[in-house]
Amino acid sequence: MAARIFPSIARSVAGLALALAVGAAAGRAETVVLEPLRDNTLYEDSTGSVSNGIGTYFFVGNTNQADPFNGRRGLLRFDVALALPAGSTVTAATLVLYLSRTQDSAPRPVGLHRALSDWGEGTSNADASEGQGAPATPGDGTWLHTFFDTSFWLAPGGDFVAGASSTTVVGTANGNYSWTSAGLAADVQLWLDAPAVEFGWVAIGDESTNSTSRRFSTRHDTAGGGARHPRLTVTYTPPAGAGACCFGNGTCQILQPLDCGGQGGTFQGAGTPCNPNPCPQPTGACCLADGTCQQLTAVACTASSGVYHGDGTLCSSVVCPVLTGACCLPGTPGSCQTLSVAQCSAQNGGFLGTGTGCGIDLCPFVDPLPRPAIAQPVVGTPGGAASYEIAITEGLQQLHRDLPPTTVWRYAGSTPGPTIEAGAGLPVQVTWISDIRDAQGNLRTEHLLPVDLCLQGPDTEGNTPRTVVHLHGGHVPAASDGYPENTVLPGEQQVYNYPNQQLPASLWYHDHAMGITRLNVELGLAGFYLLRDDLENSLGLPAGDHEIALALQDRAFNEDGSLVYPAAWQEEFFGDRILVNGKVWPYLEVERGKYRFRVLDGSNSRSFRIALSNGATFHQIGTDGGLLPAPVPLTQVTLTPGERADLILDFAGYAPGTVLRLVNDAPAPFPGTPGVGVVPEVLELRVLAAVGDTDPLSAALRPHEVLQEADAVRTRTFELRKFDEPCAGSIWLINGLGWEDVTERPVLGDTEIWSFLNFSGMVHPMHLHLVMFQVLDRQPFTVVDGAVVPTGMRVPPPANEAGWKDTVATYPFEITRVITRFEDYAGLFPYHCHVLEHEDHEMMRQFETLPSGVFSDSFETADSCRWSATIGGACP
């Protein structure tokens, strides 16, 4: 028996074309899964003025109020006739609801009663936990109204069949609960045969006493990527003569011939299935790298590394540019020519990227991948409670076989620095020692790179070589966070304490000096900090030689090996060579088995969209804040500066001698114009004959708490914009304010939603110190007469982004919402864009966490008034 998902939507919106029907010939059982067309709550009151039309939750039972008007009843309506072929026989029906909250201590029955009158869902949207509802809007169902405020139920609380079609005892634990019965199937059959009487169910809980209420998720709940939505699963037998019906967008639904034709589809024959999908897929203009255009499907275009212009577009209507760049031809060292991708491939060359030049001829994949050493403590052992002494020095490092040694700044003698291995709950102390000396051995008094004195920090400190270390993703006290103004000069040191009281994750440490972070990281000041625990160690993930941290960075070089970096501040800087762990385009020999790659985008400005060169599937098991609940299969993963992805790649199925590559197709700046600024080559993978880690990948990783939007005590809005600035020419600001403007003072223990509005054409990876957060959703917007107007629905994050994060990609003209809980440490902490050029001028501000019990609003009133005044508002 096959299954298909079918969101119930209005027939007038081409809903049939959205169905993904699967199954076998007519006469065999089919299954369809529907989401509600509407859902709402009836809040008992005497006025009928309360509802929750588009709220996240609906309620049943009685609340704990002393008020006699404390009843709650849920409403659910589907559209069975839209999803099932007319004449089908319904054999089973099951409704699944997700319980997200109850304060009851005892299980209670909840019954589904067939509704006898139609009812509405307006735009009311309750706040907080939603238990009190919101003012009803036109068309809302309320305790008194079927449609507020023009029509009424025959009896307050809804019109419904007295006997429940199905009853389930709902416990006190959050999770899914199911209703299934012959009565439920009979209701669905009735609605299929007589769509005019399909009004759904009224969900009624225990109303015999107070404090029995249950809160269930509606179809508007974005947590879990929609996994909590109500789901009605219907098993049915299609009528004789029904078969696959193909629609113009390539989707398929099982219908009768007349219904298929009447809805604009093409009937494939009685008994034909929709799985596999027999429908031709739409094509469009696809621009290929050599400048030619072909009519391809979107899938075929992507597989050809082309740029798809949309369904129905014609090659005659688009202009495809020939993309050229530097091509490293065979030789030692190889010669270089400016060629197209196809021309370079025909000569067995290595294409260095669209728009790259041949000023320096560096052949890719001639150096083995370096693997950063494990830091050795002066007290304790790696992975345990330990103390380290790590010096910051200047020295030469060979970044490519054919490149003269480059002067870099290093942690403990290398870039990236040594990897600090730590255990959850086991404290680590690091003494960071600045011992930066010039070529003559003298402590540096001036920076190695030119310093732009227009920026805050250098404007008072000059071009001094200041440093301060930030543990990115670390949940640490303010004194050990690497506050940008708490810098040291060569000859000085700082002692930082890292409690490691947080979930295991791929953290990293890097410099964070005010106004010169981009320079210090460009010179090499970065390294990994890997935090583990017993649960992670028990999962059998690839380890030892089969676990490799990969730091991706871009750089540009002069012919003498020195770094190219502009003297004056620029909005972003992109190198034309990719370093992995401090080597330009290295190679890695891999055994035939699984590898765990902890991938970091450590670039100043460049984003990456990483894939295997053959398009093969891999799995993401973790993100910034640690393991995901389960592995997520992917064919590509996007990382913006500061983000990490924990990946499993399996080479078991490849023959010895196979050569694969990690490749990148992210434009620069990102998301930008396809093909522009791309450096495609990253890392070559050479498969050996030896067999490596072949243990199965665990289907379950780390369960984690999902923060509830209803628990947030405050929502804050941050506008990301560029402004004119006389010294440097432009400046990036958050809410139009600078570093000293502290307007956010969360109280420890509070949960807050932070909403970022990106008013620019490039991505801003927003990073919060101290906390990990979860991404709620993204929503496109436009600006009309100076006002922000959403232009689409809120879209929850993809599964591989649905874990704990400390850096989130905020895309152009989108509202990106995250939710976090502030805990443990009071003090000042930065939040900023992790494009380091933006952070340095001056897209970095700070929030101050206050001890629990402090009323933060008293601190924030004056600050909020000041922000209102900067955007033309008035202070009270």
Side-chain angles (χ1 to χ4, degrees):
M1 180 171 65
R4 58 190 175 101
I5 302 294
F6 198 102
S8 289
I9 60 176
R11 292 182 180 84
S12 61
V13 193
L16 293 172
L18 297 178
L20 174 62
V22 299
R28 292 185 57 185
E30 296 267 356
T31 298
V32 63
V33 182
L34 293 81
E35 290 190 6
L37 177 69
R38 306 174 197 156
D39 39 33
N40 206 337
T41 303
L42 301 180
Y43 295 83
E44 184 179 11
D45 72 344
S46 60
T47 64
S49 60
V50 182
S51 191
N52 196 22
I54 60 172
T56 303
Y57 310 110
F58 74 86
F59 296 79
V60 303
N62 285 354
T63 68
N64 57 4
Q65 297 172 281
D67 187 330
F69 299 109
N70 65 355
R72 306 288 186 264
R73 293 174 181 175
L75 296 172
L76 292 157
R77 179 181 170 180
F78 297 85
D79 198 335
V80 172
L82 178 63
L84 276 67
S88 296
T89 301
V90 176
T91 56
T94 300
L95 177 68
V96 175
L97 300 177
Y98 183 86
L99 177 71
S100 63
R101 185 174 183 176
T102 183
Q103 296 179 341
D104 196 0
S105 60
R108 306 283 179 179
V110 175
L112 299 176
H113 299 252
R114 180 163 55 83
L116 296 175
S117 298
D118 200 5
W119 50 271
E121 176 193 80
T123 58
S124 56
N125 190 355
D127 56 13
S129 298
E130 303 188 10
Q132 301 309 306
T137 60
D140 263 323
T142 75
W143 192 260
L144 301 182
H145 302 93
T146 54
F147 295 91
F148 183 81
D149 55 354
T150 58
S151 59
F152 295 82
W153 300 105
L154 296 177
D159 306 331
F160 48 86
V161 175
S165 299
S166 181
T167 299
T168 284
V169 174
V170 177
T172 59
N174 290 357
N176 287 322
Y177 292 84
S178 299
W179 286 255
T180 186
S181 68
L184 222 57
D187 288 348
V188 174
Q189 184 72 64
L190 172 65
W191 297 335
L192 176 61
D193 296 338
V197 300
E198 182 177 356
F199 306 131
W201 290 294
V202 180
I204 301 178
D206 186 344
E207 299 177 353
S208 63
T209 185
N210 287 353
S211 301
T212 63
S213 64
R214 262 69 174 158
R215 188 181 76 178
F216 295 100
S217 293
T218 71
R219 76 184 198 281
H220 300 290
D221 188 349
T222 59
R228 296 182 174 183
H229 293 181
R231 302 274 182 170
L232 175 62
T233 302
V234 180
T235 304
Y236 68 98
T237 302
C245 177
C246 289
F247 293 91
N249 66 351
T251 57
C252 180
Q253 186 187 2
I254 293 177
L255 293 173
Q256 292 285 1
L258 290 178
D259 291 335
C260 178
Q263 294 163 20
T266 303
F267 191 63
Q268 304 299 302
T272 54
C274 281
N275 186 25
N277 189 347
C279 304
Q281 299 302 296
T283 63
C286 176
C287 285
L288 302 176
D290 60 0
T292 62
C293 181
Q294 295 183 22
Q295 295 292 136
L296 299 174
T297 67
V299 173
C301 185
T302 301
S304 301
S305 300
V307 177
Y308 191 64
H309 289 269
D311 293 351
T313 55
L314 300 175
C315 282
S316 59
S317 65
V318 300
V319 176
C320 299
V322 177
L323 305 179
T324 62
C327 176
C328 183
L329 299 173
T332 308
S335 60
C336 182
Q337 295 181 23
T338 300
L339 301 172
S340 70
V341 176
Q343 291 168 331
C344 184
S345 178
Q347 298 186 47
N348 296 317
F351 191 68
L352 305 188
T354 302
T356 55
C358 289
I360 299 175
D361 182 4
L362 298 179
C363 294
F365 317 129
V366 296
D367 291 303
L369 173 74
R371 301 184 63 171
I374 303 300
Q376 297 302 309
V378 293
V379 177
T381 59
S387 296
Y388 296 82
E389 294 180 356
I390 296 179
I392 305 170
T393 61
E394 179 176 306
L396 294 171
Q397 188 160 318
Q398 190 87 32
L399 304 183
H400 186 276
R401 180 196 67 185
D402 300 327
L403 192 68
T406 301
T407 300
V408 295
W409 287 2
R410 308 176 293 187
Y411 291 115
S414 70
T415 178
T419 297
I420 297 177
E421 290 274 1
L426 302 175
V428 162
Q429 183 181 88
V430 181
T431 302
W432 300 103
I433 304 166
S434 179
D435 192 31
I436 305 173
R437 297 175 182 269
D438 61 22
Q440 290 71 44
N442 301 313
L443 290 173
R444 273 202 171 273
T445 58
E446 295 186 352
H447 208 285
L448 178 62
L449 294 176
V451 175
D452 190 332
L453 301 183
C454 287
L455 278 57
Q456 183 164 352
D459 62 345
T460 57
E461 299 289 344
N463 63 347
T464 53
R466 299 168 291 112
T467 59
V468 63
V469 181
H470 167 54
L471 178 58
H472 185 120
H475 184 63
V476 303
S480 294
D481 183 59
Y483 189 71
E485 295 181 287
N486 290 346
T487 56
V488 295
L489 293 170
E492 299 175 341
Q493 64 185 36
Q494 290 174 316
V495 179
Y496 279 3
N497 293 290
Y498 304 127
N500 296 321
Q501 295 289 345
Q502 61 184 102
L503 290 173
S506 300
L507 311 181
W508 64 300
Y509 58 91
H510 62 82
D511 189 78
H512 213 287
M514 190 78 180
I516 56 172
T517 295
R518 71 197 189 287
L519 306 181
N520 294 351
V521 174
E522 174 78 13
L523 284 170
L525 293 185
F528 282 99
Y529 186 110
L530 304 183
L531 186 59
R532 309 178 190 273
D533 71 352
D534 290 342
L535 186 150
E536 180 175 316
N537 294 335
S538 71
L539 294 174
L541 298 172
D545 289 341
H546 302 116
E547 180 187 24
I548 304 175
L550 301 177
L552 311 185
Q553 300 169 306
D554 62 335
R555 296 290 185 268
F557 301 98
N558 296 305
E559 291 189 7
D560 65 357
S562 61
L563 293 168
V564 173
Y565 194 82
W569 174 84
Q570 294 183 0
E571 291 182 2
E572 57 267 333
F573 178 75
F574 302 106
D576 56 5
R577 307 291 188 264
I578 304 301
L579 276 69
V580 187
N581 291 354
K583 282 290 185 184
V584 178
W585 295 312
Y587 68 86
L588 173 66
E589 294 179 334
V590 296
E591 296 176 346
R592 297 165 64 201
K594 294 181 180 66
Y595 279 78
R596 181 182 187 182
F597 291 122
R598 297 178 182 251
V599 186
L600 157 71
D601 183 349
S603 298
N604 283 23
S605 297
R606 182 178 292 279
S607 297
F608 290 90
R609 193 159 51 207
I610 300 297
L612 281 165
S613 54
N614 64 347
T617 297
F618 52 88
H619 289 83
Q620 182 167 349
I621 62 169
T623 184
D624 307 341
L627 294 176
L628 292 163
V632 179
L634 300 170
T635 57
Q636 64 179 22
V637 62
T638 299
L639 292 173
T640 61
E643 290 188 292
R644 286 88 70 205
D646 201 341
L647 307 178
I648 300 292
L649 275 63
D650 192 352
F651 303 101
Y654 295 102
T658 300
V659 176
L660 302 169
R661 291 176 182 173
L662 284 184
V663 294
N664 164 55
D665 73 349
F670 189 74
T673 303
V676 174
V678 175
V679 182
E681 305 293 2
V682 178
L683 173 68
E684 186 166 89
L685 302 160
R686 304 174 182 176
V687 181
L688 302 174
V691 176
D693 185 332
T694 58
D695 290 342
L697 178 60
S698 176
L701 298 171
R702 184 185 298 278
H704 68 269
E705 175 190 11
V706 177
L707 299 182
Q708 298 298 311
E709 187 171 345
D711 294 330
V713 300
R714 179 179 282 105
T715 294
R716 304 182 189 271
T717 299
F718 303 90
E719 295 190 353
L720 313 178
R721 297 177 185 263
K722 183 172 69 174
F723 296 83
D724 292 334
E725 189 269 322
C727 187
S730 61
I731 187 171
W732 288 94
L733 297 174
I734 303 172
N735 281 354
L737 302 178
W739 170 248
E740 284 88 2
D741 300 305
V742 182
T743 58
E744 292 78 44
R745 290 186 169 90
V747 174
L748 295 179
D750 280 357
T751 298
E752 295 192 353
I753 295 171
W754 286 29
S755 181
F756 297 100
L757 282 68
N758 184 348
F759 286 83
S760 75
M762 69 174 295
V763 71
H764 295 289
M766 297 305 297
H767 170 51
L768 277 65
H769 289 220
L770 176 66
V771 297
M772 289 287 177
F773 53 75
Q774 293 168 4
V775 182
L776 286 175
D777 46 54
R778 293 181 174 93
Q779 182 179 30
F781 73 89
T782 189
V783 180
V784 179
D785 296 329
V788 172
V789 179
T791 58
M793 299 294 292
R794 288 175 173 172
V795 179
N800 66 310
E801 201 184 23
W804 290 105
K805 298 274 293 171
D806 58 47
T807 306
V808 62
T810 69
Y811 290 101
F813 291 93
E814 286 190 353
I815 303 167
T816 302
R817 298 194 311 150
V818 304
I819 185 170
T820 188
R821 185 166 55 228
F822 295 88
E823 294 180 301
D824 297 328
Y825 304 117
L828 288 169
F829 295 90
Y831 67 96
H832 57 86
C833 174
H834 220 280
V835 172
L836 300 186
E837 283 73 16
H838 294 183
E839 170 186 338
D840 275 350
H841 190 57
E842 178 165 334
M843 210 172 193
M844 177 168 65
R845 297 184 57 213
Q846 49 191 324
F847 61 88
E848 182 181 14
T849 49
L850 303 177
S852 178
V854 174
F855 185 55
S856 67
D857 286 353
S858 61
F859 287 87
E860 295 186 4
T861 301
D863 296 325
S864 299
C865 179
R866 179 180 178 184
W867 161 230
S868 177
T870 67
I871 59 173
C875 293

